[in-house]
Amino acid sequence: MRMISMDSPAKVQHFLNQVVADNAPYFWAGGRLSSDKRTLRWENGRSEGIRKGQHPWSFTGSRGAQPDGGRGSEECLAVLNNFYNDGSKFHDVGCSHRKPTVCEA
């Protein structure tokens, strides 16, 4: 088993909706951000470009549109459920935080 790779629009929408339906505050997804915050690599080996502040990335956070972490920090992907009054969105988060994890076979 590995962390979920939300590498299709259908998977993204399913899990963004599910975190809201479950009233869960957040979870880890299987994405890892490049140090320059331009690329997201999934656990299944696929990668995609990041469009800062554009769906499914949040338009807000502690330092602005997501991803907002500094170079070499906040390299893990979490789905946060309205944590910044932004709905259910992708956020870059420091990998040392404790959160539940969604896995797939």
Side-chain angles (χ1 to χ4, degrees):
M1 301 246 309
R2 61 180 173 223
M3 289 177 25
I4 188 79
S5 293
M6 296 169 59
D7 57 349
S8 74
K11 269 186 171 176
V12 169
Q13 202 55 55
H14 171 79
F15 285 100
L16 292 180
N17 290 343
Q18 194 63 51
V19 73
V20 171
D22 291 347
N23 199 30
Y26 41 66
F27 68 88
W28 284 125
R32 186 90 176 191
L33 287 82
S34 61
S35 62
D36 64 7
K37 309 295 185 200
R38 293 183 182 174
T39 306
L40 180 65
R41 183 175 176 95
W42 294 107
E43 288 279 315
N44 65 8
R46 293 185 180 149
S47 60
E48 61 188 65
I50 293 173
R51 297 180 324 248
K52 185 173 183 156
Q54 295 183 25
H55 183 75
W57 292 91
S58 178
F59 55 86
T60 189
S62 62
R63 290 179 299 278
Q66 298 295 303
D68 67 352
R71 188 171 188 84
S73 69
E74 296 190 353
E75 292 183 351
C76 288
L77 175 68
V79 173
L80 304 184
N81 184 8
N82 209 33
F83 195 84
Y84 293 98
N85 295 314
D86 58 348
S88 177
K89 302 285 185 188
F90 284 10
H91 286 261
D92 62 325
V93 176
C95 302
S96 63
H97 289 247
R98 295 180 59 124
K99 294 183 181 356
T101 303
V102 176
C103 295
E104 63 185 342

XYZ file of all heavy atoms in Angstrom:
821
model
N 0.839 -1.180 0.000
C 0.000 0.000 0.000
C 0.887 1.247 0.000
O 1.964 1.243 0.553
C -0.894 0.017 1.233
C -1.807 -1.167 1.370
S -3.552 -0.850 1.228
C -3.876 0.445 2.314
N 0.365 2.288 -0.616
C 1.064 3.570 -0.636
C 0.037 4.689 -0.479
O -1.158 4.485 -0.680
C 1.865 3.739 -1.917
C 1.013 3.725 -3.159
C 1.851 3.887 -4.411
N 0.982 3.705 -5.557
C 1.277 3.016 -6.622
N 2.442 2.414 -6.725
N 0.430 2.910 -7.620
N 0.537 5.864 -0.160
C -0.364 7.014 -0.016
C -1.057 7.292 -1.347
O -0.484 7.057 -2.411
C 0.412 8.232 0.477
C 0.830 8.076 1.919
S 1.842 9.381 2.666
C 1.548 10.832 1.798
N -2.269 7.816 -1.253
C -3.106 8.052 -2.424
C -2.446 9.034 -3.395
O -1.903 10.051 -2.977
C -4.509 8.560 -2.012
C -5.459 8.621 -3.207
C -4.453 9.897 -1.326
C -6.027 7.320 -3.578
N -2.480 8.688 -4.671
C -2.036 9.579 -5.734
C -3.294 10.185 -6.351
O -4.048 9.510 -7.028
C -1.236 8.809 -6.791
O -0.023 8.339 -6.258
N -3.496 11.456 -6.105
C -4.683 12.153 -6.614
C -4.328 12.769 -7.965
O -4.282 13.977 -8.141
C -5.147 13.187 -5.594
C -5.598 12.537 -4.295
S -5.865 13.667 -2.918
C -7.109 14.746 -3.545
N -4.067 11.885 -8.929
C -3.484 12.265 -10.207
C -4.483 12.362 -11.354
O -4.103 12.337 -12.509
C -2.350 11.311 -10.558
C -2.807 9.865 -10.608
O -3.933 9.555 -10.171
O -2.025 9.028 -11.086
N -5.752 12.469 -11.031
C -6.771 12.688 -12.061
C -7.824 13.633 -11.486
O -8.035 13.669 -10.269
C -7.426 11.369 -12.476
O -8.301 10.904 -11.467
N -8.488 14.397 -12.344
C -9.536 15.297 -11.848
C -10.631 14.562 -11.068
O -11.126 15.077 -10.062
C -10.090 15.942 -13.119
C -8.964 15.888 -14.091
C -8.247 14.589 -13.782
N -10.973 13.351 -11.487
C -12.005 12.584 -10.784
C -11.563 12.210 -9.369
O -12.346 12.319 -8.423
C -12.361 11.332 -11.585
N -10.316 11.762 -9.226
C -9.806 11.418 -7.886
C -9.736 12.656 -6.999
O -10.090 12.612 -5.830
C -8.410 10.797 -7.976
C -8.368 9.312 -8.106
C -6.906 8.873 -8.026
C -6.757 7.396 -7.923
N -5.347 6.990 -7.934
N -9.263 13.756 -7.565
C -9.174 14.996 -6.795
C -10.547 15.369 -6.265
O -10.723 15.592 -5.067
C -8.583 16.146 -7.645
C -8.752 17.487 -6.938
C -7.120 15.890 -7.951
N -11.535 15.413 -7.150
C -12.869 15.829 -6.730
C -13.470 14.867 -5.721
O -14.096 15.283 -4.746
C -13.800 15.993 -7.934
C -14.962 16.889 -7.642
C -14.540 18.258 -7.114
O -13.754 18.963 -7.733
N -15.023 18.634 -5.949
N -13.256 13.561 -5.931
C -13.782 12.564 -4.988
C -13.239 12.804 -3.581
O -14.007 12.846 -2.618
C -13.423 11.149 -5.451
C -13.752 10.111 -4.436
N -15.030 9.636 -4.234
C -12.967 9.476 -3.528
C -15.015 8.749 -3.253
N -13.776 8.637 -2.811
N -11.932 12.965 -3.451
C -11.345 13.103 -2.116
C -11.573 14.480 -1.503
O -11.713 14.591 -0.284
C -9.873 12.695 -2.117
C -9.717 11.209 -2.193
C -9.431 10.590 -3.394
C -9.908 10.417 -1.072
C -9.325 9.205 -3.471
C -9.811 9.038 -1.136
C -9.513 8.430 -2.343
N -11.646 15.528 -2.324
C -12.017 16.835 -1.772
C -13.441 16.790 -1.222
O -13.719 17.335 -0.149
C -11.886 17.931 -2.827
C -10.473 18.274 -3.305
C -10.531 19.376 -4.357
C -9.573 18.676 -2.159
N -14.351 16.122 -1.939
C -15.729 15.973 -1.463
C -15.797 15.076 -0.232
O -16.573 15.332 0.693
C -16.627 15.412 -2.559
C -16.868 16.381 -3.681
O -16.650 17.582 -3.555
N -17.305 15.866 -4.820
N -14.988 14.011 -0.214
C -15.045 13.054 0.884
C -14.595 13.658 2.208
O -15.181 13.388 3.251
C -14.200 11.819 0.561
C -14.464 10.652 1.477
C -15.883 10.144 1.361
O -16.371 9.874 0.269
N -16.557 10.001 2.486
N -13.556 14.470 2.194
C -13.082 15.082 3.434
C -14.166 15.998 4.009
O -14.345 16.071 5.226
C -11.719 15.799 3.238
C -11.846 17.080 2.468
C -11.012 16.035 4.555
N -14.931 16.648 3.140
C -16.045 17.493 3.596
C -17.166 16.612 4.150
O -17.689 16.869 5.250
C -16.564 18.389 2.453
C -17.840 19.099 2.861
C -15.507 19.400 2.049
N -17.542 15.567 3.409
C -18.627 14.674 3.841
C -18.317 14.015 5.179
O -19.215 13.832 6.007
C -18.887 13.610 2.775
N -17.060 13.673 5.401
C -16.644 13.033 6.654
C -16.395 14.048 7.772
O -16.098 13.656 8.890
C -15.363 12.222 6.442
C -15.573 10.995 5.588
O -16.741 10.610 5.353
O -14.556 10.416 5.131
N -16.456 15.327 7.439
C -16.161 16.394 8.392
C -14.780 16.209 9.021
O -14.562 16.490 10.197
C -17.251 16.503 9.465
C -17.225 17.844 10.155
O -16.848 18.846 9.559
N -17.604 17.869 11.415
N -13.851 15.710 8.200
C -12.468 15.520 8.653
C -11.715 16.836 8.473
O -11.946 17.552 7.509
C -11.802 14.413 7.842
N -10.821 17.187 9.379
C -10.115 18.463 9.252
C -9.045 18.461 8.160
O -8.772 19.498 7.556
C -9.496 18.681 10.624
C -9.385 17.319 11.217
C -10.518 16.505 10.635
N -8.438 17.281 7.900
C -7.322 17.215 6.953
C -6.872 15.778 6.792
O -7.258 14.897 7.567
C -6.128 18.045 7.431
C -5.853 17.934 8.915
C -5.441 16.741 9.501
C -6.019 19.025 9.749
C -5.206 16.644 10.855
C -5.785 18.939 11.108
C -5.371 17.739 11.651
O -5.146 17.652 13.004
N -6.046 15.548 5.767
C -5.344 14.271 5.618
C -4.136 14.479 4.712
O -4.072 15.432 3.940
C -6.259 13.159 5.082
C -6.721 13.327 3.652
C -5.960 12.843 2.596
C -7.931 13.947 3.363
C -6.384 12.983 1.284
C -8.361 14.089 2.063
C -7.593 13.604 1.014
N -3.165 13.559 4.857
C -2.019 13.546 3.959
C -2.427 12.852 2.676
O -3.096 11.828 2.695
C -0.854 12.753 4.533
C -0.071 13.407 5.612
C 0.175 12.896 6.854
C 0.624 14.663 5.576
N 0.954 13.757 7.578
C 1.238 14.855 6.808
C 0.767 15.653 4.600
C 1.999 15.988 7.096
C 1.510 16.784 4.898
C 2.117 16.930 6.126
N -1.986 13.390 1.553
C -2.101 12.716 0.263
C -0.682 12.384 -0.190
O 0.285 12.915 0.355
C -2.806 13.611 -0.747
N -0.553 11.543 -1.162
C 0.764 11.056 -1.576
C 1.489 11.943 -2.548
O 2.061 11.455 -3.517
N 1.476 13.233 -2.319
C 2.180 14.168 -3.189
C 3.379 14.782 -2.500
O 3.329 15.083 -1.314
N 4.428 14.965 -3.258
C 5.651 15.603 -2.750
C 6.017 16.735 -3.708
O 6.105 16.522 -4.913
C 6.762 14.563 -2.697
C 8.017 15.030 -2.061
C 7.985 14.763 -0.598
N 9.266 15.138 -0.025
C 9.612 14.837 1.172
N 8.802 14.149 1.946
N 10.771 15.218 1.648
N 6.216 17.927 -3.164
C 6.521 19.093 -3.978
C 8.013 19.211 -4.211
O 8.813 18.914 -3.322
C 6.035 20.367 -3.288
C 4.531 20.593 -3.277
C 3.882 19.821 -2.155
C 4.232 22.054 -3.141
N 8.365 19.669 -5.404
C 9.768 19.959 -5.690
C 10.190 21.161 -4.839
O 9.348 21.933 -4.382
C 9.962 20.271 -7.177
O 9.201 21.404 -7.554
N 11.471 21.322 -4.638
C 11.941 22.405 -3.772
C 11.585 23.781 -4.324
O 11.424 24.729 -3.562
C 13.446 22.293 -3.525
O 14.147 22.406 -4.742
N 11.404 23.904 -5.648
C 11.025 25.197 -6.222
C 9.506 25.391 -6.308
O 9.039 26.411 -6.816
C 11.669 25.389 -7.597
C 11.185 24.383 -8.633
O 10.255 23.597 -8.365
O 11.763 24.387 -9.740
N 8.734 24.419 -5.827
C 7.260 24.480 -5.776
C 6.613 24.536 -7.157
O 5.495 25.004 -7.301
C 6.773 25.687 -4.952
C 7.384 25.803 -3.589
C 6.993 24.660 -2.712
C 7.540 24.885 -1.317
N 7.631 23.710 -0.546
N 7.279 24.018 -8.168
C 6.721 24.037 -9.524
C 6.176 22.694 -9.969
O 5.426 22.617 -10.931
C 7.777 24.500 -10.513
C 8.158 25.941 -10.323
C 9.139 26.369 -11.358
N 9.523 27.756 -11.123
C 10.461 28.372 -11.795
N 11.123 27.749 -12.736
N 10.749 29.630 -11.518
N 6.586 21.614 -9.292
C 6.195 20.272 -9.704
C 5.732 19.462 -8.499
O 6.323 19.550 -7.423
C 7.381 19.544 -10.379
O 7.873 20.351 -11.443
C 6.972 18.188 -10.916
N 4.679 18.675 -8.718
C 4.156 17.774 -7.702
C 4.374 16.354 -8.200
O 3.958 16.009 -9.315
C 2.664 18.037 -7.488
C 1.949 17.192 -6.458
C 2.499 17.459 -5.059
C 0.459 17.477 -6.497
N 5.047 15.548 -7.401
C 5.298 14.145 -7.769
C 4.455 13.260 -6.866
O 4.488 13.389 -5.642
C 6.769 13.807 -7.626
C 7.075 12.393 -8.058
C 8.568 12.119 -8.021
N 8.820 10.735 -8.347
C 9.121 10.297 -9.569
N 9.218 11.134 -10.560
N 9.340 9.023 -9.777
N 3.707 12.366 -7.498
C 2.820 11.456 -6.761
C 3.548 10.177 -6.382
O 4.540 9.797 -7.007
C 1.602 11.123 -7.618
C 0.736 12.307 -7.874
C 0.596 12.992 -9.044
C -0.106 12.969 -6.925
N -0.270 14.034 -8.881
C -0.720 14.042 -7.591
C -0.391 12.773 -5.579
C -1.613 14.910 -6.964
C -1.278 13.623 -4.949
C -1.873 14.668 -5.626
N 3.005 9.470 -5.396
C 3.575 8.198 -4.926
C 3.661 7.164 -6.051
O 4.530 6.309 -6.022
C 2.725 7.629 -3.785
C 2.838 8.377 -2.489
C 4.060 7.999 -1.704
O 4.377 6.807 -1.576
O 4.721 8.919 -1.201
N 2.762 7.223 -7.030
C 2.778 6.255 -8.123
C 3.793 6.607 -9.211
O 3.862 5.947 -10.237
C 1.382 6.089 -8.725
C 0.858 7.341 -9.393
O 1.564 8.328 -9.566
N -0.415 7.316 -9.769
N 4.575 7.673 -9.011
C 5.621 8.051 -9.942
C 5.219 9.113 -10.954
O 6.081 9.686 -11.619
N 3.943 9.382 -11.080
C 3.508 10.434 -12.003
C 3.829 11.800 -11.416
O 3.942 11.959 -10.211
C 2.011 10.321 -12.258
C 1.646 9.070 -13.010
C 0.182 9.053 -13.359
N -0.122 7.829 -14.086
C -1.278 7.225 -14.034
N -2.263 7.733 -13.322
N -1.477 6.117 -14.713
N 3.950 12.785 -12.288
C 4.187 14.142 -11.807
C 3.365 15.116 -12.651
O 2.917 14.785 -13.746
C 5.669 14.491 -11.846
O 6.167 14.412 -13.159
N 3.171 16.312 -12.097
C 2.400 17.342 -12.795
C 2.888 18.710 -12.351
O 3.454 18.866 -11.269
C 0.910 17.187 -12.517
C 0.540 17.331 -11.051
C -0.920 16.983 -10.789
O -1.300 15.811 -10.978
O -1.663 17.894 -10.381
N 2.640 19.688 -13.204
C 2.982 21.063 -12.867
C 2.007 21.623 -11.847
O 0.861 21.176 -11.748
N 2.461 22.587 -11.084
C 1.636 23.239 -10.064
C 1.234 24.614 -10.564
O 2.069 25.379 -11.051
C 2.421 23.361 -8.733
C 2.671 21.976 -8.153
C 1.672 24.257 -7.745
C 3.581 21.978 -6.938
N -0.054 24.927 -10.445
C -0.576 26.262 -10.756
C -0.946 26.926 -9.437
O -2.029 26.686 -8.884
C -1.790 26.146 -11.675
C -1.459 25.533 -13.024
C -2.677 25.433 -13.919
N -3.891 25.117 -13.175
C -4.565 23.976 -13.265
N -4.163 23.031 -14.063
N -5.654 23.780 -12.562
N -0.046 27.720 -8.922
C -0.192 28.340 -7.601
C -1.532 29.073 -7.471
O -1.890 29.896 -8.311
C 0.958 29.320 -7.365
C 0.950 29.925 -5.984
C 2.187 30.751 -5.746
C 2.160 31.282 -4.332
N 3.469 31.589 -3.847
N -2.265 28.726 -6.398
C -3.519 29.390 -6.078
C -4.694 29.007 -6.956
O -5.775 29.547 -6.797
N -4.498 28.056 -7.881
C -5.577 27.624 -8.760
C -6.045 26.241 -8.357
O -5.242 25.386 -7.986
C -5.116 27.635 -10.209
C -4.793 29.038 -10.708
C -4.404 29.036 -12.168
O -4.771 28.153 -12.934
N -3.636 30.022 -12.567
N -7.366 26.016 -8.454
C -7.971 24.745 -8.041
C -7.167 23.572 -8.577
O -6.811 23.565 -9.745
C -9.412 24.676 -8.547
C -10.125 23.447 -8.115
N -10.582 23.293 -6.832
C -10.429 22.317 -8.773
C -11.164 22.109 -6.735
N -11.082 21.503 -7.897
N -6.855 22.585 -7.751
C -7.309 22.340 -6.385
C -6.452 22.989 -5.300
O -6.676 22.759 -4.119
C -7.253 20.820 -6.274
C -6.103 20.431 -7.159
C -6.136 21.423 -8.298
N -5.471 23.808 -5.688
C -4.641 24.511 -4.710
C -5.423 25.668 -4.112
O -6.160 26.362 -4.812
C -3.355 25.023 -5.355
C -2.454 23.902 -5.744
C -2.421 23.266 -6.950
C -1.513 23.249 -4.909
N -1.492 22.257 -6.922
C -0.919 22.223 -5.685
C -1.099 23.423 -3.597
C 0.060 21.382 -5.176
C -0.115 22.590 -3.087
C 0.450 21.581 -3.874
N -5.233 25.905 -2.821
C -5.938 26.986 -2.149
C -5.426 28.349 -2.608
O -4.261 28.516 -2.949
C -5.761 26.871 -0.632
O -6.420 27.944 0.005
N -6.322 29.299 -2.582
C -5.981 30.685 -2.902
C -5.457 31.426 -1.683
O -5.093 32.597 -1.764
C -7.207 31.421 -3.456
C -8.406 31.363 -2.535
C -8.565 32.289 -1.515
C -9.353 30.367 -2.692
C -9.646 32.215 -0.655
C -10.446 30.287 -1.837
C -10.595 31.211 -0.823
N -5.403 30.738 -0.524
C -4.976 31.385 0.713
C -4.212 30.400 1.599
O -4.134 29.214 1.300
C -6.179 31.986 1.469
O -5.704 32.787 2.545
C -7.093 30.903 2.017
N -3.673 30.898 2.680
C -2.925 30.100 3.637
C -2.220 31.047 4.587
O -2.508 32.244 4.608
N -1.286 30.549 5.364
C -0.620 31.418 6.335
C 0.232 32.493 5.660
O 0.475 33.548 6.238
C 0.221 30.589 7.305
O 1.233 29.896 6.615
N 0.689 32.236 4.411
C 1.506 33.218 3.692
C 0.965 33.506 2.290
O 1.689 33.984 1.439
C 2.947 32.725 3.596
C 3.665 32.733 4.946
C 5.091 32.217 4.844
N 5.188 30.843 4.378
C 5.041 29.770 5.157
N 4.789 29.899 6.437
N 5.149 28.557 4.657
N -0.286 33.207 2.029
C -0.870 33.504 0.722
C -1.237 32.263 -0.062
O -1.376 31.174 0.488
N -1.382 32.444 -1.370
C -1.809 31.360 -2.260
C -0.879 30.160 -2.139
O 0.324 30.306 -1.933
C -1.863 31.860 -3.695
N -1.455 28.980 -2.281
C -0.711 27.729 -2.145
C -0.134 27.288 -3.477
O -0.753 27.479 -4.511
C -1.638 26.653 -1.590
C -2.183 26.965 -0.227
C -1.101 27.006 0.816
O -0.385 26.044 0.999
N -0.967 28.127 1.495
N 1.023 26.659 -3.473
C 1.876 26.419 -2.317
C 2.612 27.694 -1.893
O 3.028 28.479 -2.734
C 2.862 25.359 -2.801
C 2.908 25.506 -4.285
C 1.574 26.046 -4.704
N 2.755 27.858 -0.577
C 3.333 29.101 -0.048
C 4.590 28.900 0.784
O 5.141 29.856 1.299
C 2.308 29.874 0.775
C 1.920 29.162 2.057
O 2.322 27.999 2.262
O 1.196 29.759 2.862
N 5.040 27.669 0.915
C 6.228 27.402 1.724
C 7.490 27.909 1.059
O 7.555 28.054 -0.155
N 8.481 28.173 1.873
C 9.762 28.620 1.343
C 10.500 27.490 0.653
O 10.143 26.319 0.777
N 11.518 27.843 -0.080
C 12.328 26.860 -0.802
C 12.861 25.815 0.174
O 13.466 26.148 1.180
C 13.465 27.567 -1.513
C 14.235 26.678 -2.441
C 15.219 27.499 -3.277
N 15.839 26.693 -4.292
C 15.321 26.424 -5.484
N 14.146 26.910 -5.809
N 15.958 25.679 -6.355
N 12.589 24.545 -0.142
C 13.089 23.457 0.694
C 12.259 23.199 1.945
O 12.648 22.397 2.782
N 11.123 23.882 2.099
C 10.260 23.618 3.246
C 8.851 23.321 2.743
O 8.526 23.579 1.591
C 10.229 24.819 4.199
O 9.551 25.906 3.594
N 8.033 22.767 3.596
C 6.645 22.431 3.257
C 6.572 21.679 1.931
O 5.915 22.098 0.991
C 5.768 23.692 3.239
C 5.671 24.340 4.592
C 4.624 25.437 4.676
O 4.029 25.819 3.647
O 4.383 25.899 5.800
N 7.243 20.538 1.880
C 7.317 19.769 0.642
C 6.306 18.630 0.557
O 6.300 17.895 -0.422
C 8.729 19.249 0.437
C 9.703 20.377 0.160
C 11.108 19.925 -0.115
O 11.420 18.729 0.067
O 11.915 20.775 -0.503
N 5.427 18.479 1.561
C 4.410 17.430 1.520
C 3.043 18.030 1.217
O 2.771 19.188 1.538
C 4.385 16.668 2.841
S 5.846 15.610 3.048
N 2.174 17.208 0.612
C 0.845 17.653 0.222
C -0.198 17.178 1.227
O -0.306 15.983 1.500
C 0.485 17.108 -1.154
C -0.934 17.423 -1.617
C -1.092 18.915 -1.888
C -1.281 16.623 -2.850
N -0.951 18.129 1.752
C -2.085 17.810 2.619
C -3.342 18.399 2.000
O -3.298 19.432 1.329
C -1.888 18.380 4.021
N -4.464 17.722 2.218
C -5.768 18.277 1.887
C -6.326 18.812 3.196
O -6.470 18.064 4.169
C -6.697 17.213 1.274
C -8.101 17.760 1.105
C -6.136 16.731 -0.060
N -6.572 20.114 3.238
C -7.132 20.755 4.428
C -8.587 21.101 4.156
O -8.923 21.595 3.081
C -6.358 22.022 4.790
C -4.851 21.886 5.018
C -4.264 23.225 5.474
C -4.523 20.795 6.004
N -9.436 20.841 5.135
C -10.873 21.072 5.002
C -11.248 22.403 5.642
O -11.504 22.479 6.838
C -11.652 19.921 5.636
C -13.145 20.051 5.447
O -13.623 20.910 4.716
N -13.886 19.187 6.117
N -11.247 23.449 4.848
C -11.702 24.776 5.266
C -10.864 25.368 6.407
O -11.338 26.198 7.163
C -13.186 24.745 5.640
C -13.857 26.071 5.391
O -13.512 26.788 4.467
N -14.820 26.402 6.223
N -9.619 24.956 6.510
C -8.738 25.404 7.589
C -8.509 26.918 7.536
O -8.373 27.569 8.554
C -7.403 24.653 7.495
C -6.553 24.755 8.712
C -6.755 23.908 9.792
C -5.538 25.687 8.787
C -5.961 23.996 10.930
C -4.735 25.785 9.911
C -4.955 24.940 10.981
N -8.485 27.461 6.326
C -8.285 28.902 6.134
C -9.535 29.544 5.518
O -9.431 30.511 4.765
C -7.071 29.167 5.244
C -5.767 28.768 5.884
C -5.161 27.553 5.594
C -5.141 29.609 6.798
C -3.966 27.185 6.195
C -3.951 29.250 7.404
C -3.371 28.039 7.099
O -2.188 27.682 7.705
N -10.713 28.979 5.828
C -11.980 29.451 5.259
C -11.922 29.469 3.736
O -12.373 30.410 3.087
C -12.350 30.836 5.804
C -12.612 30.797 7.289
O -13.310 29.916 7.776
N -12.043 31.733 8.009
N -11.361 28.398 3.179
C -11.155 28.296 1.735
C -11.777 27.047 1.128
O -11.529 26.731 -0.031
C -9.657 28.327 1.426
C -8.881 27.220 2.130
O -9.432 26.553 3.029
O -7.699 27.031 1.795
N -12.562 26.309 1.898
C -13.117 25.054 1.406
C -12.095 23.936 1.544
O -11.124 24.042 2.286
N -12.315 22.872 0.826
C -11.427 21.712 0.841
C -10.415 21.887 -0.289
O -10.789 21.873 -1.460
C -12.268 20.444 0.651
O -11.461 19.314 0.584
N -9.134 22.057 0.071
C -8.110 22.421 -0.922
C -6.764 21.771 -0.628
O -6.501 21.325 0.485
C -7.889 23.942 -0.921
C -9.099 24.765 -1.209
C -9.453 24.738 -2.657
C -10.620 25.693 -2.917
N -11.138 25.590 -4.242
N -5.900 21.775 -1.636
C -4.516 21.346 -1.495
C -3.720 22.445 -0.792
O -3.888 23.633 -1.088
C -3.858 21.135 -2.858
C -4.225 19.886 -3.605
C -5.249 19.053 -3.204
C -3.523 19.563 -4.752
C -5.566 17.908 -3.925
C -3.819 18.426 -5.477
C -4.842 17.594 -5.064
N -2.818 22.007 0.114
C -1.888 22.907 0.788
C -0.537 22.218 0.896
O -0.478 21.016 1.151
C -2.371 23.227 2.213
C -3.527 24.171 2.262
N -3.375 25.507 2.513
C -4.848 23.961 2.091
C -4.563 26.095 2.507
N -5.473 25.178 2.251
N 0.530 22.984 0.741
C 1.858 22.449 1.051
C 2.063 22.607 2.555
O 1.728 23.627 3.132
C 2.955 23.135 0.242
C 3.104 24.622 0.493
O 2.078 25.294 0.724
O 4.239 25.128 0.445
N 2.547 21.547 3.178
C 2.676 21.500 4.640
C 4.006 20.837 4.976
O 4.454 19.938 4.265
C 1.496 20.704 5.260
C 1.642 20.548 6.760
C 0.154 21.354 4.925
N 4.614 21.267 6.063
C 5.833 20.625 6.534
C 5.591 19.153 6.812
O 4.596 18.778 7.446
N 6.463 18.312 6.340
C 6.278 16.860 6.415
C 6.301 16.309 7.838
O 5.902 15.167 8.054
C 7.342 16.171 5.575
S 7.336 16.677 3.843
N 6.729 17.089 8.814
C 6.807 16.600 10.192
C 5.462 16.662 10.918
O 5.335 16.096 12.000
C 7.845 17.402 10.979
O 7.444 18.762 11.067
N 4.463 17.314 10.332
C 3.146 17.393 10.970
C 2.495 16.017 11.008
O 2.690 15.209 10.112
C 2.230 18.359 10.202
C 2.613 19.784 10.333
N 1.841 20.708 10.979
C 3.712 20.455 9.902
C 2.429 21.877 10.941
N 3.572 21.756 10.289
N 1.690 15.787 12.047
C 0.965 14.521 12.170
C -0.443 14.702 11.631
O -1.158 15.597 12.062
C 0.935 14.076 13.625
C 2.320 13.749 14.161
C 2.250 13.326 15.588
N 1.389 12.166 15.695
C 1.742 10.995 16.230
N 2.921 10.881 16.736
N 0.915 10.009 16.269
N -0.805 13.829 10.668
C -2.128 13.860 10.057
C -2.498 12.431 9.655
O -1.618 11.622 9.381
C -2.125 14.724 8.790
C -1.865 16.197 9.049
C -1.948 16.989 7.762
C -1.689 18.453 7.930
N -1.487 19.009 9.217
N -3.797 12.146 9.575
C -4.182 10.842 9.025
C -3.761 10.765 7.554
O -3.623 11.786 6.883
C -5.704 10.810 9.162
C -6.130 12.133 9.661
C -4.939 12.954 9.962
N -3.574 9.549 7.078
C -3.116 9.318 5.721
C -4.125 8.453 4.981
O -4.639 7.485 5.530
C -1.753 8.589 5.737
O -0.842 9.389 6.501
C -1.201 8.396 4.359
N -4.396 8.812 3.726
C -5.246 7.987 2.859
C -4.326 7.192 1.960
O -3.425 7.740 1.321
C -6.205 8.866 2.031
C -7.016 8.012 1.069
C -7.128 9.659 2.959
N -4.556 5.867 1.929
C -3.703 4.969 1.133
C -4.530 4.255 0.085
O -5.743 4.186 0.155
C -3.043 3.926 2.049
S -1.879 4.645 3.230
N -3.815 3.707 -0.928
C -4.434 2.894 -1.967
C -3.530 1.697 -2.254
O -2.336 1.753 -1.974
C -4.682 3.714 -3.228
C -3.436 4.251 -3.894
C -3.730 5.150 -5.081
O -4.854 5.113 -5.625
O -2.825 5.902 -5.479
N -4.125 0.669 -2.786
C -3.363 -0.543 -3.090
C -2.626 -0.400 -4.396
O -2.971 0.349 -5.246
C -4.292 -1.747 -3.160
